[in-house]
């Protein structure tokens, strides 16, 4: 869900990852960068280049030093020094060592290199045996390629925060594809998806997509969306091959997803004592099934499904109704759609999966399209930038039925180009199911 982002402070972004900062932050919440290490801005002094035609030292005969501009009217050029010609001191005032080591490996075991021992060798200078392949399951830092990554996602050697696996995800499975992206404002991706295919009892294929959006104001929204998407997909893959009607199967899958999210709230009492103000994990869900000549959608919350026919002269349609404040205002006749969705309360949801939900009310609908097309299943991180069905039809490529992954990538790109204020997740399902073996080019 879109969250209200604080306005940037004087030090508005992290110098390492450009994530927005809060006033008083000592470390970046996204990458762990030590903000106290940021140097003060230099005085506004021009950069002066010192150079001359004095011959370079013998050890570097190939260096061609340019002539320096005259400093006065005496026709005497400015002196030139190589870095090795200048005496230097460290921050304590003592002389610098004559040689610099990068690997930090002491000559004798147990000795320290300088004031401390580096926990991992520098990959630029370490011998090959020092960079041997780590044990299976060990993660190496993407920055230094030497340090191991701890359970919190930071390198034990250089402290660099590692990219999260869910920051950007793509998957293609024959006749369905999905893409999810963290967006440009959130520090993590709280969306999740699951796509799958299953054979019906008569052998005909069915295709499934589930998209979930973690409620940002709830605790552990990323875990809620992941648990819900997996539970719903597993329930459908179990019930559809048994011959359960797809609409009933979708209803049961939403119930299973809700139960999976509820389990996350069942923490020991001692865990709540340390965080008494935490609320239960929660998320929204929208899913679609393409089976034979039927299109089934199911949802709870404000994630949506759209129908876009291949023939763009035919009308597109939104297949879901939001569980939101704005939708309630429109349904009650108190506001028109433009007024309701312009209100700051528009995205306050009235239905979700989670232990704090008032009452679980899965919505399902069955459609029988009379022409080929595609189903777009997405979170509000996308439809905020293509809200009307006509807008969605204009954004998705014309060959979406033949290239679902490419089309999902285009839709996510459209949201990022529009500002990427929220996590963005979209699945694209062609209707009817293409023959086996057909897919994106």
């Amino acid at each position: 869900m879109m969250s209200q982002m604080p306005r940037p402070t004087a030090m508005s972004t992290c110098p390492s990852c450009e994530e927005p900062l809060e006033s008083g932050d000592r470390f970046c919440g996204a990458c762990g960068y030590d903000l106290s290490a940021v140097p003060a801005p230099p005085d506004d002094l021009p950069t002066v280049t010192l150079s001359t035609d004095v011959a370079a030292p013998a050890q570097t005969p190939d260096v061609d030093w340019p002539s320096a501009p005259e400093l006065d009217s005496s026709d005497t050029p400015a002196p030139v020094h190589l870095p090795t010609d200048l005496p230097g001191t460290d921050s304590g005032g003592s002389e610098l060592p004559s040689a610099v080591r990068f690997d930090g490996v002491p000559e004798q075991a147990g000795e320290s290199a300088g004031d401390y021992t580096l926990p991992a060798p520098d990959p630029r200078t370490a011998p090959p045996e020092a960079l041997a392949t780590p044990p299976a399951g060990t993660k190496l830092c993407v920055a230094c390629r030497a340090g191991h990554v701890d359970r919190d996602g930071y390198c034990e050697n250089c402290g660099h925060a590692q990219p999260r696996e869910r920051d950007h995800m793509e998957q293609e499975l024959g006749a369905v594809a999905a893409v999810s992206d963290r967006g440009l404002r959130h520090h993590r991706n709280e969306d999740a998806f699951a796509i799958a295919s299953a054979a019906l009892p008569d052998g005909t294929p069915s295709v499934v997509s589930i998209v979930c959006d973690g409620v940002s104001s709830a605790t552990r929204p990323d875990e809620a969306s992941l648990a819900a998407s997996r539970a719903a997909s597993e329930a459908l893959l179990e019930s559809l091959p048994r011959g359960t009607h797809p609409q009933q199967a979708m209803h049961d899958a939403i119930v299973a997803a809700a139960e999976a999210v509820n389990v996350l709230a069942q923490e020991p009492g001692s865990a709540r004592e340390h965080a008494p103000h935490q609320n239960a994990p929660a998320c929204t869900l929208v899913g679609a099934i393409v089976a034979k000549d039927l299109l089934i959608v199911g949802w709870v919350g404000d994630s949506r499904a759209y129908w876009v026919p291949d023939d763009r002269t035919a009308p597109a349609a939104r297949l879901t109704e939001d569980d939101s404040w704005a939708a309630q205002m429109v349904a009650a006749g108190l506001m028109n759609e433009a007024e309701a969705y312009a209100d700051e309360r528009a995205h306050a949801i009235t239905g979700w999966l989670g232990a704090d939900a008032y009452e679980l009310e899965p919505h399902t609908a069955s459609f029988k399209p009379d022409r080929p097309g595609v189903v777009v299943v997405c979170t509000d991180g996308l439809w905020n930038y293509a809200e009307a069905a006509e807008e969605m039809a204009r954004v998705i490529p014309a060959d979406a039925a033949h290239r679902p992954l490419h089309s999902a990538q285009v839709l996510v790109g459209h949201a990022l180009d529009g500002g990427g204020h929220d996590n963005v997740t979209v699945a694209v399902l062609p209707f009817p199911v293409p023959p086996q073996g057909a897919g994106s080019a």
Side-chain angles (χ1 to χ4, degrees), residues 64-96:
D64 183 17
W65 296 101
S67 299
E70 297 176 2
L71 298 183
D72 51 37
S73 59
S74 65
D75 294 331
T76 301
V80 166
H81 299 284
L82 294 177
T84 53
D85 296 333
L86 300 177
T89 60
D90 63 16
S91 58
S94 58
E95 293 186 1
L96 294 174

Side-chain angles (χ1 to χ4, degrees), residues 26-315:
R26 295 181 59 191
F27 297 91
C28 176
C31 71
Y33 189 85
D34 184 357
L35 301 176
S36 64
V38 179
D43 296 332
D44 187 16
L45 297 177
T47 300
V48 179
T49 302
L50 298 180
S51 56
T52 185
D53 56 1
V54 176
Q59 65 268 27
T60 55
D62 296 330
V63 177
D64 183 17
W65 296 101
S67 299
E70 297 176 2
L71 298 183
D72 51 37
S73 59
S74 65
D75 294 331
T76 301
V80 166
H81 299 284
L82 294 177
T84 53
D85 296 333
L86 300 177
T89 60
D90 63 16
S91 58
S94 58
E95 293 186 1
L96 294 174
S98 58
V100 178
R101 289 182 61 125
F102 288 100
D103 56 12
V105 179
E107 296 181 2
Q108 299 294 331
E111 295 183 2
S112 62
D115 295 331
Y116 57 90
T117 301
L118 296 178
D122 188 291
R124 297 167 294 183
T125 58
E129 58 270 17
L131 300 176
T133 302
T138 302
K139 291 185 178 180
L140 287 182
C141 174
V142 299
C144 70
R145 301 302 302 167
H148 294 173
V149 178
D150 62 23
R151 295 179 61 184
D152 294 330
Y154 291 86
C155 176
E156 296 176 345
N157 179 45
C158 68
H160 191 91
Q162 306 301 295
R164 295 180 179 91
E165 181 182 357
R166 290 176 62 178
D167 280 357
H168 185 88
M169 301 178 291
E170 297 186 2
Q171 186 179 2
E172 185 176 29
L173 186 63
V176 60
V179 176
S180 182
D181 192 272
R182 178 170 63 95
L184 305 180
R185 301 295 182 89
H186 277 245
H187 71 283
R188 65 181 174 187
N189 190 356
E190 297 169 357
D191 289 355
F193 68 80
I195 58 175
S197 61
L200 301 177
D202 63 358
T204 57
S206 63
V207 177
V208 170
S209 72
I210 301 291
V211 168
C212 296
D213 184 353
V215 177
S216 296
S217 59
T219 303
R220 295 148 58 200
D222 53 331
E223 295 181 33
S225 62
L226 185 61
S229 62
R230 288 178 174 175
S233 177
E234 290 170 1
L236 289 171
L237 292 180
E238 181 181 351
S239 59
L240 289 173
R242 292 202 313 258
T244 305
H245 189 283
Q247 191 165 356
Q248 181 64 46
M250 177 62 77
H251 178 278
D252 296 344
I254 296 175
V255 173
E259 293 173 351
V261 178
N262 291 348
V263 168
L264 298 177
Q266 298 173 4
E267 301 173 339
S270 58
R272 289 297 182 110
E273 291 176 5
H274 300 289
H277 302 296
Q278 290 185 349
N279 50 10
C283 69
T284 69
L285 180 148
V286 62
I289 303 171
V290 175
K292 293 188 175 180
D293 58 350
L294 287 181
L295 166 58
I296 310 296
V297 296
W299 72 98
V300 174
D302 64 348
S303 293
R304 293 181 176 180
Y306 292 82
W307 163 254
V308 180
D310 289 348
D311 178 7
R312 299 303 166 83
T313 62

Side-chain angles (χ1 to χ4, degrees), residues 333-404:
L334 301 176
M335 291 183 175
N336 62 38
E337 195 163 298
E339 294 171 335
Y341 282 99
D343 193 283
E344 62 182 7
R345 297 164 290 182
H347 288 273
I349 58 174
T350 58
W352 62 89
L353 305 182
D356 289 346
Y358 303 121
E359 184 178 355
L360 178 61
E361 294 183 5
H363 310 293
T364 62
S366 179
F367 302 92
K368 200 169 186 179
D370 61 352
R371 64 195 69 202
V374 293
V375 187
V376 178
V377 183
C378 64
T379 61
D380 60 347
L382 170 61
W383 66 252
N384 278 326
Y385 301 99
E387 186 171 334
E390 296 78 13
E391 294 177 283
M392 190 67 71
R394 285 196 296 268
V395 174
I396 191 169
D399 61 352
H402 303 288
R403 303 176 67 193

